[in-house]
Amino acid sequence: MNRVFTRSSGVLMHITSLPGSWDTGDFGKEAFQFIDKLHQARQTLWQILPLSIPDANGSPYASISAFAGNPLFINPERLMEEGLLPEDRYHEIMSSDQPAVDKKKSLLREARIHARNFDSTLSAFGEFIEKNRYWLIDYARFNVLKDVYQSKDWTSFPDEYKWRHAEALENLDQEHRESIQQLMFEQFLFNRQWHQLKEYAHARHIRIIGDIPIFISHNSADVWSHPDLFKLDDNGRPYVVSGVPPDLFSSTGQLWGNPHYRWDRLKETGYAWWIHRLEHLLEYVDYIRLDHFRGFESVWEIKADETTAQKGNWVPSAGHEFFHYLREHLGILPIIAEDLGVITEAVRKLRDDFEFPGMKILQFAFDSDDNPFLPENFDTDLCIVYSGTHDNNTTLGWFRQDASPEEKERCLQRLQCDPDDIPWNMIRYGMESRAVWMVTPIQDILELDEKARMNFPGTTKGNWTWRMDMALFDKSRIDRLKKLTEKTNRI
């Protein structure tokens, strides 16, 4: 078995769900407190969602950059403690009547002004730019162009910027130097604060599971700067888009709308863009969950003018050659395959040939006695069991709202518990399984109902906003999780 994975357990919660005084969770003291609680509960894994800049609906799976981190995760109080933000300016900005997001942006601008007084910070910033030049400068340029032209899409930029004429880009760099420098500086601060948090987690024997969406947004710095790697027409628009056919989550499928890759062009470059992307993320996390792993074997292509994902075709995708190439250039691949949905024998072979653990979701397990998600039916221990994911209801919400009478009966029969104690018995059921990892959404540990759900797949409203109450992750729940972890030998 792939020894990158050993018997362990952990918790799923995104950065945005951390509590705190800002409108979204960030890398502040609450993140460190959360790590301390995981350590007390003897958890050794923390799974997060993509660290990327979310879209207008808050989704981290649709971003303007496959590389950039969300600058709203930067914690200003830590900047002040480190001397990068003067206390008087901090209090002055905080006392203004600006919205919280604008206050944070003002504080980040102030931090850059103040950083000019510190040679060591400026030197580190310069090194960061050089190391990340592959994506960083074009990310900043793209943001400036979107702001200058108030454009919803890069295909409406003036032609000299749309098609990236060298002279135009040089002029852009000069005319908007301050804005470009600010955007890059924010990525520097993001990188710095995250790595401090990651080191704190590592010191407490906690490893980070990251997440990488297979597709990226058409309106992104990546597609704008590498249009030849995507299936686009002569105007730069995608003529086919991504999604999945009808499945457990949606009767009409999911129309994501992202452009598809030109794997032939990627191969010609030695898969350089993907290698840069994975190398970059592996500096931030210890393991990578490949979202929609199915798409690396074949993808569901939908004509760009369709309004649902029902009509489409499966088209061959990256395949074995891609992962062989990655392994040759990156070494051991600490990859988790999100192998949910329509999974064929070819997808299973791709997963198994590279010894990537797949995912088992207990909420999907109770429709029949031979369901492969039932722990007694797991055919290998190289898998990761979840009570649910960020796309599921909470376990309590699922049992009360979504499970059929037959599923409820089968669930109670296997868990041997009362309906009121479903979340913890579901956790126990997964912990006792042969799966190499058990990962539990924090909502289930806190025994929360459907109001704590993170995301409704196929919808754009009311998602990604849930935040935890740290007080609920109290000593009694920490002790209960610790004892269960020890009992099931997941330490």
Side-chain angles (χ1 to χ4, degrees):
M1 189 180 82
N2 188 341
R3 293 320 329 165
V4 170
F5 301 89
T6 57
R7 190 169 176 84
S8 308
S9 65
V11 175
L12 165 61
M13 190 185 75
H14 192 36
I15 304 298
T16 57
S17 294
L18 286 163
S21 58
W22 295 93
D23 282 352
T24 185
D26 63 19
F27 301 150
K29 63 181 181 181
E30 292 82 6
F32 293 85
Q33 291 169 1
F34 182 68
I35 289 172
D36 287 339
K37 288 177 180 284
L38 293 181
H39 180 58
Q40 291 163 20
R42 302 204 72 173
Q43 301 307 289
T44 51
L45 299 166
W46 177 14
Q47 181 170 336
I48 59 176
L49 304 186
L51 291 166
S52 52
I53 301 166
D55 67 5
N57 298 309
S59 173
Y61 292 91
S63 180
I64 61 170
S65 173
F67 294 82
N70 185 353
L72 294 181
F73 290 163
I74 302 167
N75 181 258
E77 288 73 25
R78 284 180 59 195
L79 295 179
M80 186 170 59
E81 291 167 3
E82 295 168 7
L84 279 178
L85 190 59
E87 287 193 35
D88 57 343
R89 290 294 293 142
Y90 170 84
H91 292 297
E92 182 180 340
I93 291 170
M94 291 300 292
S95 64
S96 71
D97 58 0
Q98 298 179 82
V101 168
D102 291 337
K103 286 181 181 179
K104 183 168 279 193
K105 289 179 179 178
S106 295
L107 291 168
L108 295 181
R109 285 192 293 271
E110 196 67 36
R112 178 170 167 258
I113 293 171
H114 194 61
R116 294 167 179 166
N117 299 318
F118 299 93
D119 290 341
S120 60
T121 300
L122 292 178
S123 176
F125 178 40
E127 291 173 4
F128 175 79
I129 293 174
E130 286 305 310
K131 183 177 181 181
N132 293 277
R133 184 171 289 276
Y134 179 81
W135 63 272
L136 182 62
I137 296 173
D138 278 331
Y139 156 76
R141 288 168 171 168
F142 183 77
N143 273 274
V144 167
L145 287 169
K146 278 174 60 67
D147 185 54
V148 168
Y149 294 103
Q150 294 294 298
S151 175
K152 293 183 178 179
D153 191 283
W154 62 267
T155 56
S156 63
F157 290 166
D159 279 355
E160 63 269 27
Y161 294 123
K162 175 180 176 180
W163 301 122
R164 298 174 52 79
H165 297 170
E167 185 178 350
L169 293 181
E170 289 175 7
N171 291 335
L172 181 75
D173 292 345
Q174 293 300 318
E175 292 174 15
H176 297 277
R177 183 181 183 280
E178 284 300 306
S179 295
I180 288 172
Q181 287 288 312
Q182 178 65 33
L183 287 160
M184 293 194 297
F185 187 72
E186 289 172 3
Q187 290 303 306
F188 165 70
L189 294 179
F190 173 95
N191 175 281
R192 177 170 162 157
Q193 286 200 351
W194 171 256
H195 277 87
Q196 290 167 351
L197 185 66
K198 179 187 172 187
E199 288 170 8
Y200 189 84
H202 280 186
R204 284 145 188 82
H205 312 292
I206 294 167
R207 296 296 181 265
I208 310 294
I209 308 170
D211 197 318
I212 195 166
I214 179 175
F215 299 117
I216 60 173
S217 297
H218 172 259
N219 193 32
S220 66
D222 308 278
V223 178
W224 171 67
S225 56
H226 301 283
D228 56 314
L229 302 182
F230 300 87
K231 293 185 177 181
L232 309 176
D233 62 23
D234 291 341
N235 292 315
R237 300 293 306 169
Y239 53 87
V240 289
V241 294
S242 63
V244 290
D247 59 12
L248 290 170
F249 288 117
S250 174
S251 60
T252 59
Q254 297 178 49
L255 182 61
W256 298 329
N258 309 80
H260 280 289
Y261 296 104
R262 288 203 57 177
W263 287 104
D264 57 336
R265 293 278 179 85
L266 282 159
K267 180 181 177 180
E268 290 171 4
T269 69
Y271 302 105
W273 184 85
W274 264 101
I275 287 176
H276 278 296
R277 189 183 185 194
L278 290 167
E279 283 179 331
H280 178 75
L281 185 56
L282 284 171
E283 291 186 3
Y284 285 78
V285 302
D286 302 289
Y287 303 93
I288 295 176
R289 172 188 177 271
L290 283 184
D291 190 50
H292 192 55
F293 182 77
R294 171 78 173 86
F296 288 98
E297 190 279 323
S298 57
V299 292
W300 187 246
E301 278 194 351
I302 308 152
K303 290 183 178 179
D305 57 0
E306 291 287 343
T307 57
T308 75
Q310 290 172 287
K311 296 179 182 179
N313 296 289
W314 288 109
V315 176
S317 184
H320 280 69
E321 183 179 33
F322 172 62
F323 288 105
H324 279 301
Y325 202 93
L326 292 183
R327 193 160 61 186
E328 288 174 6
H329 287 75
L330 300 177
I332 295 173
L333 300 175
I335 283 174
I336 300 161
E338 188 272 290
D339 54 347
L340 307 175
V342 181
I343 302 302
T344 65
E345 185 58 39
V347 178
R348 285 188 284 271
K349 178 172 173 52
L350 181 63
R351 177 198 66 197
D352 295 344
D353 284 353
F354 291 93
E355 295 188 294
F356 299 149
M359 294 172 58
K360 307 289 188 182
I361 312 301
L362 294 179
Q363 288 183 24
F364 296 158
F366 301 102
D367 62 353
S368 68
D369 290 334
D370 58 357
N371 188 299
F373 288 166
L374 285 171
E376 53 264 42
N377 295 332
F378 292 177
D379 57 1
T380 177
D381 57 348
L382 187 59
C383 62
I384 301 169
V385 62
Y386 295 77
S387 51
T389 74
H390 65 276
D391 282 332
N392 291 89
N393 204 336
T394 67
T395 292
L396 188 58
W398 165 79
F399 190 82
R400 291 177 177 176
Q401 286 191 329
D402 305 333
S404 68
E406 293 76 18
E407 287 176 310
K408 290 181 180 180
E409 181 180 358
R410 195 172 277 112
C411 179
L412 291 173
Q413 182 182 34
R414 277 180 165 74
L415 300 188
Q416 291 292 296
C417 71
D418 295 328
D420 291 339
D421 203 19
I422 283 292
W424 272 99
N425 278 281
M426 190 79 95
I427 296 170
R428 172 187 55 78
Y429 191 43
M431 288 281 230
E432 291 174 347
S433 76
R434 65 184 297 199
V436 66
W437 284 359
M438 168 69 180
V439 178
T440 307
I442 188 65
Q443 292 95 321
D444 290 347
I445 293 169
L446 305 183
E447 303 167 85
L448 300 177
D449 63 15
E450 60 278 359
K451 293 189 288 294
R453 182 168 184 166
M454 189 67 169
N455 182 47
F456 291 80
T459 67
T460 58
K461 304 297 182 183
N463 298 321
W464 316 110
T465 59
W466 177 79
R467 300 182 74 182
M468 77 174 291
D469 178 352
M470 193 74 80
L472 293 178
F473 200 8
D474 57 12
K475 186 177 186 303
S476 64
R477 290 191 171 100
I478 288 171
D479 288 346
R480 190 172 184 179
L481 186 57
K482 176 183 175 182
K483 290 176 182 177
L484 186 55
T485 303
E486 293 171 341
K487 183 180 179 181
T488 56
N489 193 30
R490 292 188 177 275
I491 57 174

